[in-house]
Amino acid sequence: MADLPKQEHFVATAIEDDHEAACWGCGLRLLLPSYSPVFKCGWCGAITSQNERECENHGFWWRRVRDRCFVCVIVGFMLFVICGGVWAVYPVIFSVSNFCGILHSCITVILSITTVSMFSLAAFRCAGTPPIIQWGSYPVVGKGYLENYTFCHYCSKPKSPRTHHCRSCRMCILDMDHHCPFIGNCVGAANHQYFIAFLVSAIISMIYVSIMSTYAVMHVWPPLSLRALGHLSGTNNQIVWRTFKEVIFAFLSSALLLSTRGLVLVYLFFSSVSVEIGLSVLLWQQLCYIYLGKTYLSHLSSHGDEVGEKDCKNLFRFFGCPYFISRYLPDVWNSPKRHNK
């Protein structure tokens, strides 16, 4: 008993409306008001919620099937872009010169391998498990050892700060940002970097596909059949409007004569542009949260309160930049500080 920490004694007045509750972290029993839904232990710092219930598995299999379907659609789209782009674009590229064809083939292989690899690491790598800690009774847990820890009734174990339980993955995720159905996995501490790398690689790949498909479709598009525009009469606005209608009609008429290769190129252009716009917005949002030192879930739970310090060093730390490099860039990369007069 000599090794046990010195116990602290508290004297409290019992009120009729009070009830006795036990801390899940250290086991101490406390008198709390009956209307207190959440309390924090003064010894170990653990947070206990009186209203938490055990999880319900309702909808789990539906979410699992949804995630698997999204992953299959994404994989199928990537394979179609790679295979369809090679089939539709590269006959035109190799017709220019062999050097041009070999160069663009190497670029395609590098972008394809990078995008598929980053997607696989983000989708099939564990998003991050919280640390395993010792807990259970007053002599075992030291003072402040479980500070701001909560108890997860889904996993039946302590949950560290910045950890959230995902009902789709059925586990607690450390530094959970969000559950992404398109990768069928959570974005957390272990795969967040791969998710950002996948977004960057996918955006670069989509820009490359849109440029190459535009270049190729210009060579396979049927010639436009325009009537003589010089005979148009009327005001300037009428001439411009009739010319515009004539060009659109000729463009649509020639589109009906497109070959299968041309239709694939048109689809690749519009799909790549739409995907790169959506992924660019998502990447910008992710980088903004990293700059703020937050995740998406912590941003929602903070209700506008600052969780971390706004600093570009957050970006360096996130991408694993060594400290001895970022420490020499305080004047350039630090956020400007506002001084009140």
Side-chain angles (χ1 to χ4, degrees), residues 221-228 246-247 249-251 253-254 257:
W221 197 276
L224 301 180
S225 58
L226 295 173
R227 65 181 182 179
E246 181 66 24
V247 171
F249 179 77
F251 182 81
S253 300
S254 62
L257 304 177

Side-chain angles (χ1 to χ4, degrees), residues 294 298-299 301-308:
K294 300 179 180 180
S298 65
H299 172 74
S301 60
S302 62
H303 301 290
D305 299 332
E306 292 293 335
V307 176

Side-chain angles (χ1 to χ4, degrees), residues 279-294:
L279 294 183
S280 299
V281 174
L282 179 58
L283 177 62
W284 176 256
Q285 182 190 51
Q286 289 287 308
L287 293 179
C288 289
Y289 288 141
I290 296 172
Y291 171 78
L292 296 175
K294 300 179 180 180

Side-chain angles (χ1 to χ4, degrees), residues 109-164:
V109 170
I110 293 174
L111 291 177
S112 301
I113 293 177
T114 303
T115 304
V116 174
S117 300
M118 293 301 103
F119 175 81
S120 301
L121 290 172
F124 304 112
R125 183 185 177 93
C126 179
T129 56
I132 301 176
I133 61 172
Q134 189 181 26
W135 65 285
S137 62
Y138 175 79
V140 175
V141 180
K143 186 174 181 63
Y145 187 72
L146 296 177
E147 185 70 23
N148 292 328
Y149 274 71
T150 56
F151 188 79
C152 180
H153 288 265
Y154 297 83
C155 299
S156 298
K157 63 181 181 180
K159 185 169 61 175
S160 60
R162 295 177 64 92
T163 298
H164 300 270

